[in-house]
């Protein structure tokens, strides 16, 4: 298992208690994301070459990307608006309002510039639309050879399996908060590989990690069996094949 360094992430803005708790709980995951983005940016020549990055689902990581990449990086975001407490004014160059669940309908697609890196952290599982549709749209956001970094929970993690053995549903109820409905669907590493390849991406790396506190026994089991770890990060590279929307299929 890749060792993670516990990093305290400071925030200048006044956060609500729930937001502070979320930031503290996910800080090791955010540190991992930041390291991955810096690694991919270096492959594109940053800081000598300006980097263009799109963050889908702007959140705390967006601000960290800006701090790390500096003012000369172009950072755009896509999705719903987020509170200024989380993504302060001036962090993002352009925010594009778009619901990825609309991706089956090509006439709703929006025009965006292409980027060197697109980050999609903890978004996959919140979408009820088939990945075939939204991955074909996300390809249009990337330059040929650009990287897509996806972070999402592991649908078959140890905790999920133990929950099933106890006779419980391992997934929470879909929430009544329309702007934050929770998880519709989680994925395995093999599912993500399949979706990526069908959308004409090259799979460059797949990493399973644990960023959260766990028991000694659980940690040992997951160290021995990586497929039981809680989080998946997969790096995909856009091929030179032309972008092609998936035709809308009606039952």
């Amino acid at each position: 298992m890749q060792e993670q360094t516990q990093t305290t992430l400071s925030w200048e803005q006044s956060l609500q208690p729930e937001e502070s708790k979320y930031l503290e709980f996910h800080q090791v995951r955010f540190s991992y994301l930041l390291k991955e983005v810096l690694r991919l940016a270096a492959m594109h020549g940053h800081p000598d070459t300006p980097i263009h990055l799109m963050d889908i689902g702007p959140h705390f990581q967006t601000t960290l990307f800006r701090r790390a990449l500096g003012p000369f990086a172009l950072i755009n975001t896509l999705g719903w608006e987020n509170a200024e407490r989380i993504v302060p004014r001036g962090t993002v160059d352009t925010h594009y309002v778009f619901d990825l669940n609309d991706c089956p309908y090509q006439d709703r697609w929006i025009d965006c510039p292409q980027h060197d890196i697109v980050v999609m952290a903890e978004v996959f599982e919140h979408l009820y639309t088939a990945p075939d549709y939204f991955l074909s749209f996300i390809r249009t956001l990337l330059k040929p050879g650009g990287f897509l970094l996806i972070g999402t929970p592991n649908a078959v993690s140890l905790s999920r399996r133990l929950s099933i053995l106890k006779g419980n549903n391992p997934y929470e109820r879909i929430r009544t908060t329309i702007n934050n409905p929770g998880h519709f669907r989680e994925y395995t590493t093999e599912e993500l590989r399949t979706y990526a390849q069908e959308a004409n991406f090259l799979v460059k790396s797949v990493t399973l990690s644990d960023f959260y506190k766990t028991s000694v026994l659980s940690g040992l089991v997951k160290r021995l069996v990586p497929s039981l770890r809680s989080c998946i990060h997969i790096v995909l590279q856009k091929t030179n094949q032309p972008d092609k929307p998936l035709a809308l299929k009606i039952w």
Side-chain angles (χ1 to χ4, degrees):
M1 182 187 305
Q2 184 170 349
E3 296 297 327
Q4 300 299 329
T5 303
Q6 189 77 8
T7 307
T8 302
L9 306 176
S10 61
W11 227 253
E12 293 80 7
Q13 306 294 318
S14 177
L15 301 176
Q16 295 178 355
E18 236 181 69
E19 295 164 345
S20 296
K21 193 179 296 184
Y22 184 91
L23 177 60
E24 182 180 359
F25 184 76
H26 290 277
Q27 61 178 320
V28 182
R29 179 176 67 82
F30 285 134
S31 296
Y32 176 87
L33 272 177
L34 185 57
K35 288 175 186 175
E36 276 294 274
V37 164
L38 289 174
R39 180 179 72 84
L40 296 175
M43 292 172 67
H44 278 286
H46 185 78
D48 298 325
T49 304
I51 197 80
H52 291 186
L53 181 142
M54 165 74 82
D55 189 11
I56 297 176
H59 212 274
F60 287 118
Q61 76 277 353
T62 316
T63 306
L64 296 175
F65 298 156
R66 170 58 74 195
R67 292 178 186 173
L69 295 172
F72 300 111
L74 182 141
I75 297 180
N76 296 329
T77 53
L78 181 143
W80 294 331
E81 296 279 1
N82 218 320
E84 252 187 67
R85 298 183 304 277
I86 295 173
V87 185
R89 188 182 299 276
T91 300
V92 173
D93 290 282
T94 304
H95 176 72
Y96 297 89
V97 178
F98 183 66
D99 186 345
L100 288 175
N101 288 309
D102 286 339
C103 284
Y105 309 99
Q106 191 187 352
D107 59 337
R108 300 181 190 176
W109 286 18
I110 58 174
D111 290 325
C112 295
Q114 292 189 321
H115 301 76
D116 303 299
I117 302 170
V118 171
V119 179
M120 193 177 185
E122 308 303 302
V123 174
F124 231 83
E125 65 277 11
H126 292 277
L127 300 172
Y128 56 77
T129 297
D132 315 71
Y133 286 116
F134 59 75
L135 285 175
S136 65
F137 168 74
I138 290 171
R139 268 185 63 88
T140 69
L141 306 178
L142 276 167
K143 300 175 184 177
F147 293 107
L148 170 59
L149 169 60
I150 296 170
T152 191
N154 178 11
V156 291
S157 66
L158 179 61
S159 62
R160 300 283 193 255
R161 298 183 193 215
L162 291 175
S163 183
I164 291 172
L165 286 175
K166 293 176 184 176
N168 299 324
N169 189 328
Y171 304 106
E172 64 174 323
R173 293 172 58 176
I174 295 174
R175 303 169 196 164
T176 54
T177 46
I178 299 302
N179 64 335
N180 185 16
H183 296 192
F184 286 105
R185 171 76 150 79
E186 294 183 3
Y187 298 86
T188 67
T189 54
E190 286 310 306
E191 285 180 313
L192 292 172
R193 284 180 183 274
T194 300
Y195 280 121
Q197 290 163 353
E198 289 176 351
N200 292 322
F201 283 100
L202 295 175
V203 178
K204 302 300 289 184
S205 67
V206 178
T207 306
L208 287 109
S209 308
D210 274 310
F211 301 118
Y212 314 113
K213 291 180 181 178
T214 186
S215 69
V216 174
L217 179 58
S218 175
L220 177 60
V221 170
K222 287 186 279 189
R223 186 177 291 271
L224 295 172
V225 188
S227 61
L228 297 178
R229 296 172 187 168
S230 301
C231 303
I232 302 170
H233 284 87
I234 182 167
V235 176
L236 310 178
Q237 188 172 33
K238 180 177 176 176
T239 64
N240 290 324
Q241 292 173 287
D243 297 327
K244 185 178 180 182
L246 180 68
L248 180 64
K249 298 178 182 179
I250 306 293
W251 181 264

